[in-house]
Amino acid sequence: MKKILLLFLSILIIQTCVFAKDKLLFDFPNDGWHMITSPDGVTSKKCFVPYNQTADNYTEMLIFNEKVLKNKEISAMAVLQKQLGKDRNNFIDIAPKYISRDFDDAMVTWCSKFKNTCVVERAFKGNQGVVLAIYINKAPHYSQNMFGQWSNILENVKVFDGIRPPANVIELD
């Protein structure tokens, strides 16, 4: 009986380790960014806004989310295409412009003049699935180089594979 119980517990522990999500290594561009609950109620999304902004009154938001796929052959580009389909449902006037079209690490930008919103989205392969890193700006200043700045920032998001994480690690659920 003890052996069966130990076997059962070991299987549960192994399954927990197998389904653990990735950890992301990321440095915020400046101080004050803090985590909030996702405005759409999805608990697996890690959402961050700058100082003095909340889920109800943000103008900028960073979202990190991991899509764990049953079929490991699905590329990051395919996940980004699916995300763009969701975006087109909410922002009908967008015309995405690709920064990178790599199947395992794709990045796109788009703006909606109707809703005065600009977005930089990156999808890349993690250890457990495809990670989406999204920057949303609901009050863009078109004169500033927002796309260049934020595409460089999102390009530096990496999966953390070390044992002892530094302070700038975001754990995905």
Side-chain angles (χ1 to χ4, degrees):
M1 184 67 171
K2 287 181 185 179
K3 289 181 182 181
I4 294 173
L5 182 61
L6 287 174
L7 179 65
F8 180 71
L9 287 174
S10 64
I11 290 172
L12 284 178
I13 291 170
I14 291 170
Q15 283 183 336
T16 303
C17 294
V18 169
F19 293 115
K21 294 278 191 127
D22 287 322
K23 296 177 182 174
L24 302 179
L25 189 59
F26 178 71
D27 288 317
F28 286 96
N30 46 36
D31 292 336
W33 285 83
H34 59 280
M35 192 162 71
I36 60 168
T37 57
S38 175
D40 58 5
V42 178
T43 57
S44 63
K45 288 183 183 178
K46 300 295 183 187
C47 301
F48 297 87
V49 294
Y51 180 74
N52 281 341
Q53 294 184 27
T54 66
D56 298 324
N57 73 351
Y58 70 92
T59 55
E60 293 179 280
M61 182 182 289
L62 278 166
I63 301 170
F64 300 99
N65 192 14
E66 185 168 27
K67 306 289 185 184
V68 177
L69 307 170
K70 292 179 183 175
N71 182 352
K72 300 293 183 191
E73 300 302 316
I74 295 176
S75 69
M77 176 70 88
V79 172
L80 184 60
Q81 289 291 327
K82 185 174 181 180
Q83 179 63 41
L84 284 171
K86 291 177 185 178
D87 295 337
R88 284 187 186 104
N89 288 337
N90 296 319
F91 303 92
I92 59 171
D93 63 327
I94 66 171
K97 293 179 179 62
Y98 283 88
I99 296 169
S100 169
R101 288 183 182 252
D102 188 295
F103 282 105
D104 291 332
D105 191 350
M107 191 179 307
V108 68
T109 64
W110 57 262
C111 286
S112 169
K113 289 191 179 193
F114 292 148
K115 294 193 178 182
N116 196 34
T117 299
C118 287
V119 174
V120 179
E121 296 177 333
R122 178 179 174 217
F124 61 97
K125 285 278 191 175
N127 295 327
Q128 304 299 323
V130 174
V131 177
L132 283 170
I134 302 170
Y135 169 74
I136 300 170
N137 189 328
K138 295 193 323 185
H141 299 283
Y142 295 100
S143 62
Q144 73 187 33
N145 186 7
M146 182 197 80
F147 290 130
Q149 175 190 4
W150 281 98
S151 61
N152 287 336
I153 290 170
L154 291 184
E155 187 175 53
N156 288 319
V157 177
K158 305 286 184 227
V159 174
F160 178 74
D161 289 327
I163 296 169
R164 195 172 291 148
N168 59 340
V169 169
I170 298 168
E171 293 191 38
L172 300 175
D173 293 334

